[in-house]
Amino acid sequence: MSDLSSFPITTRWPAQHPDRIQLYSLPTPNGVKVSIMLEETGLAYEPHTIDFGTDDQKTPEFLSLNPNGKIPAIVDPDGPGGKPLGLFESGAILQYLAEKTGKFLPTDPARRWQTIQWLHFQMGGIGPMFGQLGFFHKFAGREYEDKRPLQRYVAESRRLLSVLEARLDGRQWIMEDDYTIADIATLGWVRNLIGFYGARELVVFDELKQVKAWLERGLARPAVQRGLEIPKRP
Ligand SMILES: N[C@@H](CCC(=O)N[C@@H](CS)C(=O)NCC(=O)O)C(=O)O
């Protein structure tokens, strides 16, 4: 039986199965990366819902695991050397889980680095830009009179999508025949942009034939469908 008592987060969200990976999350575009990955790999895990409505992510217990106050975060009772490991930042968690299982990250060194490169393209480009577009189009920023920030993030999001469109030309996944953590990181963000954020027309999504077909392929995967609903919303 694993001892997770050194992780204060477990006092607020107790582990029923301390031998399993503990996931603290919500089905947002960053959150679902990890639940999809856990579903794809088949690793045993226990999800805990972090409710933004009650600012769970700002509680001392959550901040003890992620001082940045954002989901997703995990505790792996069986980390390196068999010791428990806590991790935050979805890109780092995806890479960690890929290396732990030997899945969704090519072993060939050059292809491995290219996958990590595309993962960072999502982390540093798609995530932040689409997120700001969401703020200025769907959330509080919608009320701002000055439309230049919205225009800036729409233009940047379209540009990033066109980079993805070119990459996917003639490829079924970002890394050709290998479905990888780069796809897992990006799928939820593109789905969210045209779905929840309501920006389909704004980014002229229907012109992006390759991205559209890739998104459909991704969303057809049963593990993706399950991961998109985990943890349960409050
Ligand atoms: N770079 C971080 C970003 C995480 C992030 O922004 N998470 C959002 C949900 S998608 C969040 O927790 N927001 C709550 C808040 O900011 O209070 C990662 O990829 O893990």
Side-chain angles (χ1 to χ4, degrees):
M1 177 75 80
S2 304
D3 179 12
L4 300 181
S5 59
S6 62
F7 292 89
I9 194 163
T10 61
T11 59
R12 194 178 180 107
W13 291 278
Q16 303 300 320
H17 304 280
D19 292 335
R20 301 182 188 170
I21 292 175
Q22 303 294 304
L23 169 68
Y24 307 92
S25 191
L26 198 66
T28 69
N30 287 313
V32 298
K33 295 177 199 173
V34 179
S35 43
I36 291 172
M37 181 67 174
L38 288 163
E39 289 293 323
E40 290 281 13
T41 56
L43 283 164
Y45 72 103
E46 182 177 350
H48 302 274
T49 300
I50 303 302
D51 185 354
F52 290 172
T54 51
D55 270 348
D56 278 356
Q57 76 280 21
K58 306 295 180 208
T59 58
E61 293 88 347
F62 187 85
L63 293 169
S64 70
L65 180 58
N66 183 358
N68 193 31
K70 290 184 187 286
I71 61 97
I74 64 165
V75 174
D76 182 359
D78 184 25
K83 295 198 184 111
L85 174 72
L87 272 185
F88 61 90
E89 281 297 328
S90 57
I93 298 172
L94 286 182
Q95 193 174 341
Y96 171 72
L97 295 175
E99 292 189 2
K100 181 182 174 82
T101 56
K103 290 180 177 169
F104 309 118
L105 183 58
T107 49
D108 170 77
R111 290 178 56 72
R112 178 176 178 279
W113 282 115
Q114 286 162 352
T115 306
I116 292 171
Q117 159 197 280
W118 284 105
L119 173 66
H120 282 267
F121 171 77
Q122 185 285 307
M123 292 297 300
I126 291 211
M129 293 304 130
F130 288 16
Q132 293 301 328
L133 187 157
F135 177 83
F136 286 101
H137 179 58
K138 163 113 187 165
F139 301 111
R142 204 182 46 186
E143 311 296 338
Y144 295 6
E145 237 170 73
D146 187 347
K147 295 299 169 202
R148 284 172 299 180
L150 172 65
Q151 286 158 6
R152 159 79 183 153
Y153 292 117
V154 169
E156 190 59 5
S157 298
R158 289 185 61 172
R159 191 190 65 74
L160 290 163
L161 282 167
S162 73
V163 174
L164 189 59
E165 176 78 1
R167 174 65 189 179
L168 288 168
D169 194 10
R171 297 180 174 91
Q172 62 164 328
W173 303 113
I174 292 173
M175 291 303 296
E176 295 90 21
D177 289 340
D178 289 326
Y179 170 75
T180 67
I181 52 174
D183 300 291
I184 292 173
T186 312
L187 280 166
W189 268 107
V190 176
R191 170 182 178 266
N192 196 69
L193 180 76
I194 61 168
F196 186 55
Y197 287 176
R200 189 180 192 111
E201 283 81 29
L202 214 52
V203 298
V204 204
F205 186 75
D206 292 304
E207 280 182 2
L208 304 167
K209 304 291 176 226
Q210 311 298 333
V211 176
K212 204 171 159 192
W214 161 86
L215 180 64
E216 278 165 17
R217 275 193 291 279
L219 296 180
R221 295 178 71 91
V224 172
Q225 288 167 14
R226 292 193 301 274
L228 286 170
E229 304 298 328
I230 298 172
K232 288 212 179 328
R233 289 177 195 282

